Amino acid sequence: MPLTLRLALRDWDYMTPLVLGDVSSPKLDIRVDRVGTLISHVGKSDAYDAAETSFSRYTQMRIDGDESVIGIPNFIMRGFRHRCVITTKDSPITSFAQLAGKRIGVTGWRDSGNTWTRAALRREGVGVEDAMWYAGRLTEAHPITDRLDGFGRPGRIEAAPGERPMVELLKEGLLDAIFTPFMPDGYFAGNSGFRQLLPDFRAAEHRYFADVGYVPGMHLIGFKAEFVAEHPWVMAELSALIDESQRVWLSKRRKYADTTPFMLDELLKSAAELPEDWDASGFAANRKMIADFAGELHVQGILPRLLTPEELFPFDVDGSRTSAA
């Protein structure tokens, strides 16, 4: 009888074959719960055995000595961050360097994606101390919550004024830019009034990839440690299924590219401009990226000390121990 695995995931397109059962395993009965908000701590959840997990919050667990969650280096969400900075169409700002001294909105201070985006700015000479930061909700539809997460500093990192939606503050000129991986409703309309801050963000991302050699990872797969202790093979099995789901989806997307005009051109460019293994899972393939992320968390004041990749991931995707663990 297959083992039941309760798994929480966001609606990433390449998980569709797994969710539909087109990719499956005789060893696992995977019951996927499609969630809009990440499970904050799968180790404390009664509903799930594994979940898509924030890379940043996972590192906090590790530095706190919380071993109730075992993260594996299968990064289910990756993405370049240069495209994730938006401004108004009439803004004179066209480079990250021009954000020095400006007012920047973020949807969560310690979020993994925002950490990577601040890292991209830091490469252009704009560090945390070089701008004024506001944390808040992107639009009226988003909830009012604590997005500072204990990192607020008057005069440097504050809550958005009046908890107002940041798109409104941007429109009114009270913010100069916003970090967001998810474009707000209406953004793609010609009259939205917004644009990506970098006119050619794709070229910037090419330069970034040439320099660092990876596409940043934001979310990983986290397991309940007690579940893994009872079923040590489960990490390798699920990781392999996720990788297979990605392969199957890419094949289908290439076949049915006509669903979105110009998608075929984008797929051809991605295949030509990125190495085939750009999204490879596993510790060795991602060690440099993991080390760089840990370094950014430390430099940006989110972690009190620098963690090694082996401290963050004592286990590889196949369940084996990493070399220094």
Side-chain angles (χ1 to χ4, degrees):
M1 179 176 291
L3 173 69
T4 296
L5 175 69
R6 301 167 302 168
L7 176 64
L9 294 176
R10 276 184 169 173
D11 274 339
W12 303 116
D13 55 5
Y14 46 81
M15 290 298 97
T16 301
L18 181 69
V19 172
L20 294 179
D22 294 341
V23 170
S24 62
S25 164
K27 299 172 68 175
L28 284 177
D29 174 18
I30 301 177
R31 301 182 181 179
V32 177
D33 191 357
R34 297 157 55 203
V35 297
T37 302
L38 296 189
I39 306 305
S40 61
H41 194 310
V42 69
K44 297 179 180 179
S45 171
D46 294 328
Y48 304 108
D49 307 303
E52 181 178 347
T53 300
S54 159
F55 194 0
S56 174
R57 294 188 184 277
Y58 172 70
T59 62
Q60 188 65 53
M61 294 182 209
R62 298 300 300 176
I63 207 164
D64 288 343
D66 182 350
E67 298 184 353
S68 65
V69 175
I70 295 177
I72 61 170
N74 189 317
F75 292 91
I76 197 165
M77 178 189 179
R78 296 178 185 260
F80 290 119
R81 310 311 296 173
H82 297 75
R83 66 190 61 201
C84 298
V85 186
I86 67 173
T87 189
T88 56
K89 286 186 176 177
D90 60 0
S91 170
I93 302 174
T94 57
S95 73
F96 284 173
Q98 289 175 288
L99 287 173
K102 297 298 191 292
R103 299 155 298 181
I104 305 172
V106 297
T107 50
W109 183 255
R110 70 172 304 148
D111 291 357
S112 305
N114 290 332
T115 299
W116 280 118
T117 311
R118 287 192 299 268
L121 263 66
R122 202 164 69 81
R123 293 172 65 88
E124 303 299 323
V126 182
V128 171
E129 303 304 319
D130 300 315
M132 181 66 201
W133 305 87
Y134 295 93
R137 54 183 177 152
L138 184 62
T139 70
E140 187 76 35
H142 294 87
I144 297 175
T145 61
D146 175 16
R147 298 174 187 271
L148 292 170
D149 208 9
F151 294 96
R153 282 191 284 138
R156 181 61 63 198
I157 307 169
E158 299 180 356
E163 298 288 358
R164 294 180 59 203
M166 290 192 297
V167 290
E168 293 182 7
L169 297 173
L170 184 60
K171 284 179 180 178
E172 295 173 15
L174 299 176
L175 289 177
D176 298 294
I178 296 173
F179 289 3
T180 176
F182 306 118
M183 300 304 111
D185 288 345
Y187 185 85
F188 295 97
N191 61 352
S192 73
F194 299 120
R195 63 171 173 83
Q196 260 69 34
L197 185 141
L198 298 180
D200 191 352
F201 59 82
R202 191 184 188 113
E205 291 166 353
H206 271 287
R207 291 191 296 270
Y208 177 86
F209 186 82
D211 286 344
V212 302
Y214 55 73
V215 178
M218 269 66 73
H219 298 167
L220 53 98
I221 295 297
F223 285 87
K224 276 185 174 177
E226 59 187 27
F227 190 79
V228 170
E230 189 174 353
H231 312 286
W233 53 269
V234 74
M235 292 193 297
E237 193 73 9
L238 180 61
S239 183
L241 289 171
I242 289 172
D243 290 348
E244 179 63 14
S245 187
Q246 290 175 309
R247 286 191 289 269
V248 170
W249 180 256
L250 179 59
S251 176
K252 287 180 180 290
R253 186 164 58 173
R254 287 171 171 172
K255 182 176 181 179
Y256 301 119
D258 284 349
T259 57
T260 304
F262 313 120
M263 178 57 73
L264 181 61
D265 184 50
E266 285 300 306
L267 290 168
L268 289 168
K269 286 179 179 177
S270 294
E273 297 168 7
L274 288 173
E276 189 174 354
D277 63 349
W278 68 268
D279 59 349
S281 59
F283 185 77
N286 291 284
R287 191 184 189 285
K288 183 179 186 300
M289 186 266 286
I290 294 166
D292 286 355
F293 187 67
E296 282 300 327
L297 289 171
H298 181 52
V299 167
Q300 295 181 27
I302 295 172
L303 291 186
R305 72 173 179 87
L306 181 64
L307 291 172
T308 67
E310 289 78 11
E311 286 179 286
L312 284 171
F313 293 96
F315 295 96
D316 208 338
V317 291
D318 62 0
S320 64
R321 285 195 169 269
T322 52
S323 58

